Amino acid sequence: MTGPTPAAAERTARTGALARLGRAALALLPSPADYRDLRRTWRGDVIAGITVGIVALPLALAFGVSSGAGAEAGLVTAIVAGIVAAVFGGSNVQVSGPTGAMVVVLAPIVASHGAGVLALVGVLAGVIVVVAGVLRLGRAVSYIPWPVIEGFTLGIAIIIFLQQVPAAVGSAPGESTNAAVAAVQSLAAVEWPDAAWSIGIVAVVAAIMLVAPRLHPKLPGSIIAIIVVSAVAVLVQAPVATIGELPAGLPAPALPTADWAAMSGLAGAALTVAALAAIESLLSARVAASISDTGPYDADRELVGQGLASVAAGLFGGMPATGAIARTAVNVRSGGRTRLAAVVHALLLLAIVLVGGAVVAVIPLAALAGVLMVTATRMISFATVRTVLGSTRSDAVVFVVTAVITVSFDLIYAVLIGIAVAAFFALRALSRSSGVHREELPPPAEPGDERIALFRLEGALFFGAAERMLERVGDIRGIEVVIIRMSQLQLLDATGAQVITELITALERRGVTVLVKGIRADHLGVATRVGVVSSLRHQNHLFDDLGLAVAHARSHVARAHPVAE
């Protein structure tokens, strides 16, 4: 009986590959399984969605204003991106929309290029995030160390607070794109006594937001605060800036105007926005999975959903969106269990836009500044800060460096530099855990044993530790045979294998015979390819048993120095 022909085997392999590709593509798309628990949870989802919508309204307005795009852009983003991400994302409870971290990135872009570029940046960034999801890059966020995440969060909170200083004192924003410098510049332009009204509004909003949860955990302090100060401001005709009139509905979708010059000029901004959108969304989804019993999240599908959400928001004139940790946490704690909760939150915001635009228009900008200042303060967990700073010196350095760079320079650079610093400390610790130890030969002792050196390699032999091993073994004198034990070696990379090859070559050149014992199976490939095995004088100088290696070494010395009878 003959087997399949080569052509049939090739067709079978091609069919199998296409089937796997199809299953992978379907895993990134919505499915009925997303809503299998809806009959049991829909009431809780609706209540949670309404609760999140109430919390999200002032934040959407505030983030839109703070970015420079306007309150309308914030609402559009919360509505459109909220629905798209809920349907296509990889988390059952993630709530998406404009966030403080994204505002930190977008504000300088708006200051440099104008608010008109946000739609194009959102579409470009969204496409990049979708591609990252298709390429299965979602799990990359798991490699970001905890101190980097906490330092990044602290830096964002500080920037959000500083960005609200101009509106809080009723002055124009400073010219600098750095939040700290711009805050100082705006303080220099304060006009009294009108500034007292804005400062008073911020104080009242902060007080209500801090007191409301103590009266009852479910009281929406931000909404109550905005209603109170807006009503007072209208009654007394306070001299403060307000949001202004909003369109009665969503704008018609349209492709953003773009040419090659515009796209190439905004490529860097789009990459930064895409990186931030991916990082923040995946972190938020991971937090949601850890505090809810709604099942794990699909990181790659989450990237696809968030990318599509930013594209959709851009088509409607909104801004790039990400998963929002605070709103997602409110959703989970309010009983949200399926994607319906996030959809309800977006529909509630849409209803407010359709019927409540005139009411929203009279909200003072200082009230939104107060909401964001309190929100930024709540982002900082002083207990977490103390824990990180008190853990290890290296973690404390990573945390501080990430936070300082976030505030002083750039969010993405802060994450990359934080990861690099953390990697340096991790490699240093790994290098220190490795070692080269000279051991005694197994008894009983025999004449000539002083001419044999047995070295045990342990831990990790990689580029960070290899040089030390080369110095330790290479300095031996008066030795004719060296046995290198590699069975205790946990990690061997190409650099480590190359150093061993160079060591063997150098010793053999000096007339020292080298025997290698116990190359692990998972190290044999790299050791063979780099040249460890071929650098030995004879192929039979490679051993699996220490006793045989020692016996061979003693035999070699005995032949070189025969004992006179």
Side-chain angles (χ1 to χ4, degrees):
M1 183 175 181
T2 61
T5 64
E10 183 179 352
R11 285 194 300 271
T12 301
R14 190 183 304 118
T15 302
L18 290 175
R20 289 192 296 272
L21 184 62
R23 288 193 296 270
L26 287 175
L28 298 176
L29 298 175
S31 71
D34 296 337
Y35 306 95
R36 60 190 171 200
D37 296 328
L38 195 57
R39 288 185 179 181
R40 178 174 54 84
T41 66
W42 70 269
R43 290 182 179 84
D45 290 329
V46 171
I47 294 173
I50 293 173
T51 304
V52 177
I54 293 172
V55 172
L57 174 61
L59 294 176
L61 295 170
F63 287 139
V65 172
S66 185
S67 70
E72 178 191 357
L75 278 176
V76 167
T77 304
I79 295 168
V80 176
I83 293 176
V84 174
V87 174
F88 290 92
S91 169
N92 290 323
V93 292
Q94 177 94 288
V95 178
S96 302
T99 63
M102 186 59 71
V103 166
V104 171
V105 172
L106 296 180
I109 296 175
V110 173
S112 301
H113 302 280
V117 304
L118 280 190
L120 178 57
V121 170
V123 171
L124 293 176
V127 171
I128 294 172
V129 176
V130 169
V131 171
V134 172
L135 294 178
R136 303 288 178 177
L137 300 180
R139 294 298 175 185
V141 73
S142 62
Y143 296 108
I144 301 178
W146 178 56
V148 173
I149 295 173
E150 295 302 333
F152 176 74
T153 303
L154 175 62
I156 288 174
I158 294 172
I159 293 176
I160 293 173
F161 188 94
L162 293 172
Q163 284 179 336
Q164 310 317 310
V165 170
V169 298
S171 67
E175 296 179 356
S176 176
T177 56
N178 181 274
V181 176
V184 174
Q185 291 172 340
S186 66
L187 290 174
V190 173
E191 295 183 3
W192 300 96
D194 289 348
W197 283 98
S198 296
I199 295 173
I201 287 174
V202 170
V204 171
V205 168
I208 293 175
M209 289 183 66
L210 294 174
V211 170
R214 297 183 180 182
L215 298 177
H216 194 285
K218 293 188 177 181
L219 278 178
S222 58
I223 289 291
I224 294 173
I226 286 178
I227 292 174
V228 170
V229 298
S230 299
V232 173
V234 171
L235 289 174
V236 303
Q237 296 184 345
V240 292
T242 61
I243 289 177
E245 185 177 356
L246 295 177
L250 292 178
L255 286 172
T257 303
D259 53 36
W260 179 251
M263 293 175 64
S264 59
L266 294 172
L271 283 171
T272 300
V273 169
L276 178 60
I279 292 171
E280 188 175 16
S281 297
L282 292 176
L283 289 178
S284 177
R286 190 168 73 178
V287 170
S290 67
I291 64 176
S292 68
D293 56 355
T294 57
Y297 69 99
D298 186 323
D300 299 313
R301 182 179 167 185
E302 182 64 22
L303 289 182
V304 172
Q306 294 295 339
L308 293 176
S310 287
V311 171
L315 295 180
F316 281 88
M319 48 200 278
T322 75
I325 295 176
R327 275 159 274 174
T328 300
V330 171
N331 181 32
V332 172
R333 290 166 182 158
S334 300
R337 290 296 178 268
T338 73
R339 299 161 190 268
L340 177 64
V343 173
V344 169
H345 129 274
L347 295 178
L348 176 63
L349 294 178
L350 176 60
I352 293 173
V353 170
L354 294 176
V355 303
V359 176
V360 172
V362 301
I363 297 175
L365 295 180
L368 301 181
V371 169
L372 289 188
M373 283 181 159
V374 175
T375 301
T377 303
R378 287 174 173 171
M379 288 175 64
I380 303 173
S381 170
F382 293 99
T384 300
V385 172
R386 286 193 299 270
T387 300
V388 178
L389 293 178
S391 54
T392 65
R393 184 178 301 176
S394 58
D395 287 335
V397 170
V398 171
F399 173 77
V400 172
V401 167
T402 304
V404 170
I405 295 177
T406 299
V407 176
S408 305
F409 298 101
D410 182 87
L411 277 75
I412 303 304
Y413 286 150
V415 172
L416 295 177
I417 293 174
I419 292 174
V421 174
F424 166 77
F425 284 119
L427 290 176
R428 189 180 70 167
L430 188 61
S431 174
R432 289 177 174 177
S433 70
S434 62
V436 181
H437 306 281
R438 185 168 180 175
E439 297 181 322
E440 297 292 331
L441 295 180
E446 297 184 9
D449 279 1
E450 69 279 0
R451 295 186 173 92
I452 303 172
L454 172 61
F455 290 96
R456 183 183 81 252
L457 309 184
E458 64 180 14
L461 186 61
F462 65 112
F463 63 88
E467 197 65 28
R468 192 167 75 248
M469 189 275 286
L470 185 62
E471 295 174 357
R472 174 78 171 83
V473 180
D475 286 342
I476 61 172
R477 293 292 182 269
I479 298 298
E480 297 181 12
V481 181
V482 169
I483 303 173
I484 300 176
R485 293 184 61 186
M486 297 178 59
S487 55
Q488 302 300 312
L489 204 57
Q490 302 300 315
L491 173 65
L492 178 69
D493 70 356
T495 303
Q498 177 61 26
V499 167
I500 294 176
T501 301
E502 293 174 2
L503 175 65
I504 293 174
T505 302
L507 290 173
E508 293 283 0
R509 192 181 297 121
R510 286 165 41 191
V512 178
T513 300
V514 180
L515 310 179
V516 174
K517 180 267 173 186
I519 299 181
R520 290 172 37 161
D522 53 331
H523 296 163
L524 186 59
V526 66
T528 302
R529 289 190 295 270
V530 174
V532 173
V533 177
S534 61
S535 64
L536 295 172
R537 185 178 303 178
H538 297 292
Q539 296 300 309
N540 60 357
H541 286 180
L542 186 65
F543 296 88
D544 292 325
D545 181 78
L546 178 61
L548 293 178
V550 172
H552 187 95
R554 286 169 170 164
S555 172
H556 181 89
V557 171
R559 289 194 303 271
H561 303 277
V563 178
E565 297 183 4

